[in-house]
Amino acid sequence: MSMVTSKAVLHVLSGAVPQSLSSDLCSSNSDLVFYSKFLVKSVKKKGPKHLRSLKCSGMSGCQIGSYRCKCLGGGLYRNMPIDRLKLLSCKCQQAESVSGVDTGGGNEAWFVDNAKKLNLNGSIPEFEDVEKLKRENEASMSNDKAGTGKSTFAAASVDSFEEEAWELLQASMVYYCGSPVGTIAANDPTNSNVLNYDQVFIRDFIPSGIAFLLKGEYDIVRNFILHTLQLQSWEKTMDCHSPGQGLMPASFKVRTVPLDGDDLATEEVLDPDFGEAAIGRVAPVDSGLWWIILLRAYGKCSGDLSVQERVDVQTGIKMILRLCLADGFDMFPTLLVTDGSCMIDRRMGIHGHPLEIQALFYSALLCAREMLTPEDGSADLLRALNNRLVALSFHIREYYWIDMRKLNEIYRYKTEEYSYDAVNKFNIYPDQISPWLVEWMPNKGGYLIGNLQPAHMDFRFFSLGNLWAVASGLATTAQSHAILDLIEAKWTDLVAEMPFKICYPALEGQEWQIITGCDPKNTPWSYHNGGSWPTLLWQLTVACMKMNRPEIAAKAVSVAEKRLSRDKWPEYYDTKKARFIGKQSHLFQTWSIAGYLVAKLLLADPDAAKILTTEEDSELVNAFSCMISANPRRKRGPKSSKQTYIV
Ligand code: GLC
């Protein structure tokens, strides 16, 4: 590793990225696993198995029973023809082994107990059950008007929120061939317009997966990892164009369809959406990055490293890396993406190099580096990975960082500098500094801007990108503290009545018209345009735990607890201060529920955040300092302005 890293540094410093890299990375098909077009199993409509399927049909509409494989495919694996039958029987075994993990019984028992309590028997809890719990809770609170035993009641209601959240999370589980494989995006009995919220979204499942892991329920996470891996190379096209090999879908759905040629049987099909059906046809760039982060968390939490060591999983990691590390026309080490390629999955002016993608990219690179098993064929990939890590962290820490001092520096920028050692490298015109920012920037604190392109700085504060930059260590220690300082200083803007603003401020007026294309869902202070998203609680908590400042997360959680359960776990809130449930917000949104649970679990056990956080190792730190001392910008500046960034 050290050889690889130091070579990578040399390459970065000399600006000589190996020419052979991109072609090596892209042409290496030899270890691509062939994935069958459909991973399907069938169930006879009649007979005992049908009974089982009926019994379980309440589980998010999935049927359960015993299955056989269908839709055989052929292909190449390590350049060897694969016998179609062999491949699929092997897949069946794999699917079986996926569900056969022994979790030690502890949590299965926990789930069974809870299910029994609510008389669930594997079906979605009745709306009335949840309502009953709430009524009981409210009754106990109103009995306490005199204020006697207030704290006991408060504690009891908090406990009941958690209990309710676990029950709802359990009810959101989606089953494929009898095994849990994910959680549905929203389970809102009042909403007839489900759109694609009845699907398992990769990014939405992350907090669910973490909650399950922290509860010791590993099965569902393992299944999710392995099944989504099989969807990775699904042959999907949009108007005859296929997305890059290695792309993970945004979401998938378990469909029960009639079995060809057999009127009496149905089969279950995993049907992914890579964006070809999504509103706006957005590419889910974040899915693969989250997948890698979850895979590492699974190994760290369960101690089961066998999943990440599997050949197909290693191949999956490499395919994602190859896709991300392939050379393009880019001048920057940041990942170039189209608008809406992450949590903000519609037009919001975040095309180019949005911070959220960069933070996830950095995090995924570090996680992958930890998990890749060394083998001769992956030397180039590792070199490219190390190379990118150093260049990416330098680029973000140096050019995305903004605080009072830096803002003042930009305010006095000279422009049109044609030279190798320009200070204003991206030719930013100082007039771009928006009036809101001049007022908003606190004296203490700072943040990473949303996007950086030639002659363009997007000064909006994007929460997920900043929080994940802290969690992953993409931001330096000092920067990370400064981000948390800013959150504290701007509490009434970023938290107010519900944590956490997705971005600040909202686009209004002509800016909204031009940048969102007059999107009626993204009106100012709604949805992605300055709305408040409870799910972000978990990323906030991870960041706070990493920096040992749990009190910030605890305060945010107590704000959320005032409304989340009462408001039926909405997807997002509207208005500047998050006073209203979002106009088109789904209720019983799973990642709002899971986000709350993860925050609570981490507050109870701050050390557990380590399954998600990453640190630079000493080699990367060295490489980074080499890069800093070679930075022409430093050479030019006067001695007193040495501290152009916080390290
Ligand atoms: C919305 C969100 C997206 C989320 C999806 C499902 O489209 O913008 O981030 O994954 O809903 O909840």
Side-chain angles (χ1 to χ4, degrees), residues 146-378:
T148 47
K150 209 172 174 188
S151 59
T152 325
F153 277 120
S157 68
V158 166
D159 283 354
S160 85
F161 296 155
E162 275 184 74
E163 237 173 74
E164 179 194 331
W166 279 114
E167 281 149 12
L168 291 169
L169 184 63
Q170 186 202 2
S172 73
M173 282 159 79
V174 169
Y175 290 76
Y176 174 63
C177 302
S179 306
V181 291
T183 49
I184 194 172
N187 216 346
D188 183 353
T190 62
N191 195 338
S192 52
N193 185 20
V194 290
L195 296 170
N196 51 356
Y197 282 75
D198 60 348
Q199 308 214 357
V200 179
F201 277 74
I202 308 302
R203 72 174 74 85
D204 292 39
F205 181 73
I206 307 304
S208 300
I210 301 300
F212 287 125
L213 286 179
L214 296 178
K215 200 77 186 170
E217 175 66 22
Y218 307 135
D219 245 19
I220 183 168
V221 181
R222 183 187 149 98
N223 293 345
F224 171 87
I225 289 168
L226 293 176
H227 283 299
T228 46
L229 175 70
Q230 290 180 323
L231 299 176
Q232 188 183 29
S233 267
W234 198 279
E235 259 187 60
K236 274 278 170 156
T237 55
M238 186 194 143
D239 302 338
C240 303
H241 177 73
S242 308
Q245 283 260 10
L247 187 71
M248 282 277 180
S251 60
F252 67 86
K253 193 178 163 75
V254 180
R255 289 187 199 283
T256 305
V257 295
L259 186 60
D260 284 348
D262 187 347
D263 287 350
L264 299 176
T266 58
E267 59 194 357
E268 285 189 335
V269 183
L270 281 186
D271 187 9
D273 177 8
F274 288 90
E276 78 279 1
I279 296 164
R281 305 294 185 257
V282 281
V285 178
D286 61 341
S287 290
L289 307 173
W290 277 124
W291 183 86
I292 289 180
I293 294 166
L294 184 66
L295 174 63
R296 170 179 174 266
Y298 169 83
K300 280 203 161 284
C301 195
S302 68
D304 170 19
L305 300 183
S306 70
V307 175
Q308 67 190 49
E309 284 163 0
R310 282 168 58 141
V311 176
D312 55 348
V313 174
Q314 287 281 316
T315 305
I317 300 173
K318 285 185 214 158
M319 279 169 67
I320 297 169
L321 293 179
R322 286 194 178 109
L323 192 59
C324 294
L325 295 172
D327 284 345
F329 290 107
D330 251 348
M331 289 300 292
F332 308 148
T334 34
L335 206 56
L336 178 65
V337 298
T338 50
D339 215 346
S341 56
C342 49
M343 177 186 180
I344 296 178
D345 56 357
R346 355 172 16 110
R347 185 172 158 192
M348 264 291 286
I350 57 163
H351 50 275
H353 304 92
L355 179 66
E356 176 178 334
I357 289 291
Q358 313 316 324
L360 293 176
F361 182 31
Y362 181 79
S363 179
L365 287 180
L366 278 179
C367 293
R369 188 173 182 255
E370 223 178 278
M371 293 186 293
L372 278 176
T373 49
E375 47 142 349
D376 293 347
S378 55

Side-chain angles (χ1 to χ4, degrees), residues 575-595:
T575 79
K576 238 176 177 174
K577 303 273 179 256
R579 304 199 70 188
F580 295 158
I581 299 170
K583 203 179 266 173
Q584 296 188 45
S585 177
H586 288 255
L587 302 180
F588 299 103
Q589 181 80 15
T590 304
W591 70 352
S592 299
I593 297 163

Side-chain angles (χ1 to χ4, degrees), residues 110-111 114 117-118 130 133-134 137 154-170 211 215 557 561 564-566 569 592-605:
W110 176 84
F111 272 119
N114 272 279
K117 248 202 315 209
L118 268 184
V130 175
L133 260 176
K134 276 197 204 160
N137 176 37
S157 68
V158 166
D159 283 354
S160 85
F161 296 155
E162 275 184 74
E163 237 173 74
E164 179 194 331
W166 279 114
E167 281 149 12
L168 291 169
L169 184 63
Q170 186 202 2
K215 200 77 186 170
V557 167
E561 271 166 348
L564 263 187
S565 158
R566 198 185 78 196
W569 310 91
S592 299
I593 297 163
Y596 167 72
L597 285 173
V598 172
K600 293 293 283 189
L601 288 161
L602 293 180
L603 280 169
D605 178 11

Side-chain angles (χ1 to χ4, degrees), residues 398 405 409 628-629 631 633-647:
E398 175 70 3
R405 195 195 47 74
E409 196 180 303
I628 288 168
S629 39
N631 179 20
R633 184 160 178 252
R634 287 205 122 198
K635 285 187 203 147
R636 276 189 45 161
K639 269 212 158 121
S640 59
S641 69
K642 241 180 175 176
Q643 281 288 88
T644 50
Y645 37 77
I646 304 171
V647 189

